[in-house]
Amino acid sequence: MNPGDKLAVPPAFYKVISTYNSIKSSYYKPVSSTKLANGAINGMMESLGDKFSTYLQDNDKKDLDDTMSASFGGIGATVEQNGTKLTVQSVQPASPAKKAGIRAGDQLMAVNGKSVEKQSVSEAVTKIRGKIGTTVKVTIRRDNADQTVTMKRAQITQATVTSALNKTDKSVGVITVASFSDPTATQFENAVKKLRKQGAKKFIVDLRGNGGGELNTALRMASMGLKNGQTIVKVQDRAGKTQVYKAGKGYDEGFKINAPIAILIDGNSASASEILAAAWHQGAGVPLIGSQSYGKGTVQNVAQLGDNAEVKLTVAKWLTPNGTWINHKGLTPTIKADYPAWAKIAGFATVNMKLGDESNDVKSLQTSLAALGYDVGAVNGYFGPTVQAAVRKFQQDNHLPVTGETNDATLTKMITLLSAKLQTDDAAMDAAVKQLDK
C-alpha cells in the first residue's frame, strides 16, 4: 500500500475532522489548511514514541535526501571549527571552490554578505549549499586580508570513505567509513583496491561515529567480506515474516576481501554499521574492537508525500545472522578499547577563561592540559593557581603571549596538538593492529 492510496476514514478520526472543521470555521484568526494538516501528521508521528519515525518537510527533507545520496549543490569545500574560527579544512579537485582559489586554512567570514563568524559549522554550510547552478558569494580571510569570491554551485559528491596505511604497520590498511550513503560501497571497494596496491595485506574498518544509512549499501559491503550464501541480516516485519539476505554476486558483483579484517565500533556506531559489524563478526569471525555499539535494531522506509515532504517510518526490525535483536543493547566488542576522555571533548563554548572561573569548559581545559603533560592538579572545573601556571607554561612552550588566561590562539593550538596526539594515542586502533598481527 502506498501513502497516497485512499482509505476509508476510521471512526477514531471523526474527532480529528471535527476539530479541523471547528478551527477552520471558528478560530479567531485564519489558519491555513496546510499548517493544520502538518500539525496533525506531526502529532501522529510523535504519538508513536519512536524517534526514528519522523515527518520531514522542506529543509529537513532535503537534508535527509542529501545525506542518503551523499550529493548536494555546493562549492566543494569542507569547513571545520578551529577554536572559535570557521576554517576551510579541504577543497575538492575541480570544484567551484578550487577554481575560485579557495585554500585549506582560509577563514570563513561571510556568505552572501552576511557574517558567519559566530555561527556553527552546520549553520554556515547550510548557507553555502543550495540549488545546483545558482550562485553564492563567499568571503574568506587569508593573511589578515578579506576577499569575496562568487561561485556557481555544482553537484558535489561527498567522500564518505577515507583510507590510508597504518602508520606503525604498513601492511595494515585503515578504511574509515563515515556513513552508508549511495556511493559508499563503491568508494569502499576503491579504497580496498588502492590500499592493496600500496601493500596492504590486512584491513581495519573504522565504523566509530558512523550512525548508519542505506540498507542496500550495508548489504553490498557486507557481502564483500562473506562467502556466497552466508547470511548477512534477517529483516522481520510486524507480522513476524522474516526475509533473509545472503551474500552473493548480486550484491558484491564478485568483489571479495579475502584478507584478515578487524572492525572498530563505539557508542555512535548504529544501524547499518551494526549490520555490517554483526555480519562479519558472526559469519567470518571478524573481531570487534572498541566499545559497545549504539543498538539500533529497526529498519526505516522513506515515503514521499509530494515534492517538499516525506515520512520516515519504522517498518521492521532486523536480526543478526544468528537471530539476535540488538535493539537498545548494541554489539559487545571482542576487545574493549575506548577513546581517552580528552578525545571526547567537542570544543570550548567559552574562549576566555581566567583565575577564579568555574565551569565545565574549565574542566575540559584541565583535561586537555593534563593530556598534553601539564600539571593541573585535580580535574574539578575550577580555574585555580595550578591551572593558571599550567596555562602559562603551555603558552610559553608554544610561543604564545604568556597571560595565564585562555584566548582563541591558546585554545586553537591546544586543539591542534590534541588532534595530532589522537593519531598516535588511539587505543582501539592499536589493539586492532595488534590483533591482526597475531
Side-chain angles (χ1 to χ4, degrees):
M1 182 175 294
N2 295 317
D5 291 346
K6 292 183 178 179
L7 299 172
V9 178
F13 270 71
Y14 293 167
K15 291 183 291 185
V16 177
I17 296 172
S18 294
T19 301
Y20 169 81
N21 288 332
S22 294
I23 293 173
K24 288 296 288 183
S25 63
S26 304
Y27 192 59
Y28 81 101
K29 62 180 179 179
V31 183
S32 75
S33 297
T34 300
K35 182 176 182 178
L36 293 174
N38 288 338
I41 296 171
N42 277 318
M44 283 190 285
M45 301 306 292
E46 289 175 7
S47 73
L48 298 175
D50 176 8
K51 65 181 180 179
F52 300 115
S53 293
T54 56
Y55 176 48
L56 303 170
Q57 304 173 69
D58 301 324
N59 288 337
D60 289 335
K61 174 188 181 297
K62 186 177 183 303
D63 287 345
L64 178 63
D65 294 346
D66 287 350
T67 299
M68 292 298 98
S69 66
S71 180
F72 52 87
I75 64 172
T78 58
V79 179
E80 65 178 348
Q81 187 83 40
N82 197 339
T84 59
K85 301 176 182 178
L86 296 179
T87 59
V88 176
Q89 182 184 35
S90 62
V91 178
Q92 289 189 14
S95 64
K98 183 74 172 179
K99 294 174 182 177
I102 292 178
R103 305 176 195 167
D106 288 345
Q107 183 180 351
L108 182 62
M109 303 301 294
V111 178
N112 290 326
K114 295 183 179 180
S115 174
V116 294
E117 285 187 87
K118 295 183 179 180
Q119 295 186 355
S120 66
V121 171
S122 60
E123 288 172 329
V125 168
T126 297
K127 288 179 170 58
I128 293 174
R129 292 182 183 179
K131 188 176 181 180
I132 295 171
T134 58
T135 58
V136 59
K137 293 182 180 180
V138 175
T139 302
I140 56 100
R141 178 170 294 171
R142 183 188 304 157
D143 298 328
N144 296 319
D146 291 356
Q147 57 179 299
T148 299
V149 292
T150 301
M151 293 163 282
K152 183 177 288 188
R153 296 181 177 102
Q155 181 171 334
I156 304 297
T157 299
Q158 289 177 304
T160 60
V161 176
T162 56
S163 63
L165 294 176
N166 180 262
K167 292 183 178 180
T168 58
D169 187 339
K170 300 298 183 181
S171 70
V172 177
V174 180
I175 303 174
T176 302
V177 184
S179 66
F180 287 76
S181 303
D182 288 344
T184 303
T186 298
Q187 293 175 359
F188 180 77
E189 180 178 333
N190 290 338
V192 173
K193 292 176 179 177
K194 172 187 168 186
L195 290 171
R196 281 174 175 169
K197 289 181 179 179
Q198 294 175 350
K201 306 295 183 185
K202 298 163 278 190
F203 296 94
I204 295 172
V205 179
D206 192 347
L207 299 178
R208 291 176 296 182
N210 185 326
E214 294 277 2
L215 174 60
N216 285 338
T217 299
L219 293 174
R220 182 179 165 192
M221 291 170 63
S223 185
M224 296 175 188
L226 296 173
K227 295 178 181 178
N228 290 344
Q230 283 190 292
T231 296
I232 299 172
V233 68
K234 301 174 181 179
V235 176
Q236 191 176 85
D237 66 19
R238 68 180 184 180
K241 182 180 178 181
T242 302
Q243 183 173 0
V244 180
Y245 295 86
K246 296 185 177 182
K249 195 172 182 179
Y251 288 122
D252 58 44
E253 299 177 350
F255 180 80
K256 297 289 186 181
I257 308 172
N258 299 311
I261 301 173
I263 289 180
L264 304 184
I265 57 173
D266 67 6
N268 293 312
S269 302
S271 189
S273 289
E274 294 171 304
I275 290 175
L276 175 62
W280 283 0
H281 178 60
Q282 294 180 8
V286 170
L288 306 181
I289 299 169
S291 53
Q292 199 80 6
S293 67
Y294 182 87
K296 181 178 179 291
T298 55
V299 179
Q300 286 72 39
N301 273 354
V302 177
Q304 300 293 327
L305 301 179
D307 293 336
N308 298 314
E310 61 194 9
V311 167
K312 186 175 72 165
L313 186 68
T314 299
V315 295
K317 63 182 181 180
W318 65 266
L319 311 174
T320 66
N322 68 12
T324 302
W325 193 33
I326 66 162
N327 206 45
H328 301 310
K329 299 174 184 176
L331 297 168
T332 300
T334 312
I335 300 172
K336 292 185 178 181
D338 202 356
Y339 283 121
W342 54 265
K344 298 179 181 180
I345 296 172
F348 298 92
T350 307
V351 175
N352 304 114
M353 290 175 273
K354 61 185 183 305
L355 189 65
D357 287 352
E358 190 170 4
S359 67
N360 286 331
D361 274 332
V362 172
K363 189 172 183 179
S364 294
L365 173 66
Q366 292 172 315
T367 302
S368 300
L369 286 167
L372 294 171
Y374 294 89
D375 178 18
V376 295
V379 179
N380 54 13
Y382 178 69
F383 199 123
T386 304
V387 176
Q388 184 185 53
V391 171
R392 285 180 178 276
K393 184 68 167 61
F394 175 83
Q395 291 169 331
Q396 181 180 351
D397 291 345
N398 290 281
H399 311 291
L400 298 167
V402 180
T403 63
E405 300 178 1
T406 66
N407 52 32
D408 181 69
T410 299
L411 295 183
T412 296
K413 184 64 177 180
M414 197 173 297
I415 291 169
T416 300
L417 292 176
L418 288 173
S419 296
K421 181 178 174 63
L422 186 58
Q423 303 304 310
T424 57
D425 288 10
D426 189 338
M429 187 68 71
D430 293 343
V433 173
K434 185 177 181 180
Q435 181 72 14
L436 290 174
D437 284 344
K438 283 185 177 181

